[in-house]
PDB file of all heavy atoms in Angstrom:
ATOM      1  N   ASP A  38      79.819  29.938 -64.681  1.00 88.00           N
ATOM      2  CA  ASP A  38      80.745  29.878 -65.811  1.00 88.00           C
ATOM      3  C   ASP A  38      82.153  30.258 -65.354  1.00 88.00           C
ATOM      4  O   ASP A  38      83.137  29.631 -65.730  1.00 88.00           O
ATOM      5  CB  ASP A  38      80.284  30.828 -66.922  1.00 88.00           C
ATOM      6  CG  ASP A  38      79.008  30.323 -67.595  1.00 88.00           C
ATOM      7  OD1 ASP A  38      78.731  29.112 -67.496  1.00 88.00           O
ATOM      8  OD2 ASP A  38      78.293  31.137 -68.201  1.00 88.00           O
ATOM      9  N   ILE A  71      77.552  45.441 -66.876  1.00 92.00           N
ATOM     10  CA  ILE A  71      78.068  44.088 -67.058  1.00 92.00           C
ATOM     11  C   ILE A  71      77.097  43.191 -67.840  1.00 92.00           C
ATOM     12  O   ILE A  71      77.489  42.161 -68.373  1.00 92.00           O
ATOM     13  CB  ILE A  71      78.408  43.460 -65.675  1.00 92.00           C
ATOM     14  CG1 ILE A  71      79.221  42.164 -65.802  1.00 92.00           C
ATOM     15  CG2 ILE A  71      77.151  43.161 -64.862  1.00 92.00           C
ATOM     16  CD1 ILE A  71      80.631  42.375 -66.183  1.00 92.00           C
ATOM     17  N   THR A 138     113.723  15.579 -73.471  1.00 96.00           N
ATOM     18  CA  THR A 138     114.111  16.985 -73.682  1.00 96.00           C
ATOM     19  C   THR A 138     113.828  17.382 -75.129  1.00 96.00           C
ATOM     20  O   THR A 138     113.499  18.530 -75.412  1.00 96.00           O
ATOM     21  CB  THR A 138     115.594  17.301 -73.344  1.00 96.00           C
ATOM     22  OG1 THR A 138     116.415  16.925 -74.432  1.00 96.00           O
ATOM     23  CG2 THR A 138     116.056  16.621 -72.098  1.00 96.00           C
ATOM     24  N   VAL A 218     141.476  14.025 -76.243  1.00 86.00           N
ATOM     25  CA  VAL A 218     140.645  15.222 -76.029  1.00 86.00           C
ATOM     26  C   VAL A 218     141.512  16.469 -76.156  1.00 86.00           C
ATOM     27  O   VAL A 218     141.125  17.448 -76.811  1.00 86.00           O
ATOM     28  CB  VAL A 218     139.973  15.207 -74.636  1.00 86.00           C
ATOM     29  CG1 VAL A 218     139.079  16.430 -74.458  1.00 86.00           C
ATOM     30  CG2 VAL A 218     139.163  13.945 -74.437  1.00 86.00           C
ATOM     31  N   LYS A 302     131.553  22.133 -47.464  1.00 86.00           N
ATOM     32  CA  LYS A 302     132.621  22.520 -48.408  1.00 86.00           C
ATOM     33  C   LYS A 302     132.013  23.179 -49.645  1.00 86.00           C
ATOM     34  O   LYS A 302     131.032  22.674 -50.173  1.00 86.00           O
ATOM     35  CB  LYS A 302     133.377  21.263 -48.875  1.00 86.00           C
ATOM     36  CG  LYS A 302     134.460  20.809 -47.951  1.00 86.00           C
ATOM     37  CD  LYS A 302     135.530  20.096 -48.775  1.00 86.00           C
ATOM     38  CE  LYS A 302     136.625  19.565 -47.879  1.00 86.00           C
ATOM     39  NZ  LYS A 302     136.926  18.180 -48.148  1.00 86.00           N
TER      40      LYS A 302
END
Side-chain angles (χ1 to χ4, degrees):
D38 290 339
I71 192 74
T138 81
V218 182
K302 276 209 182 130

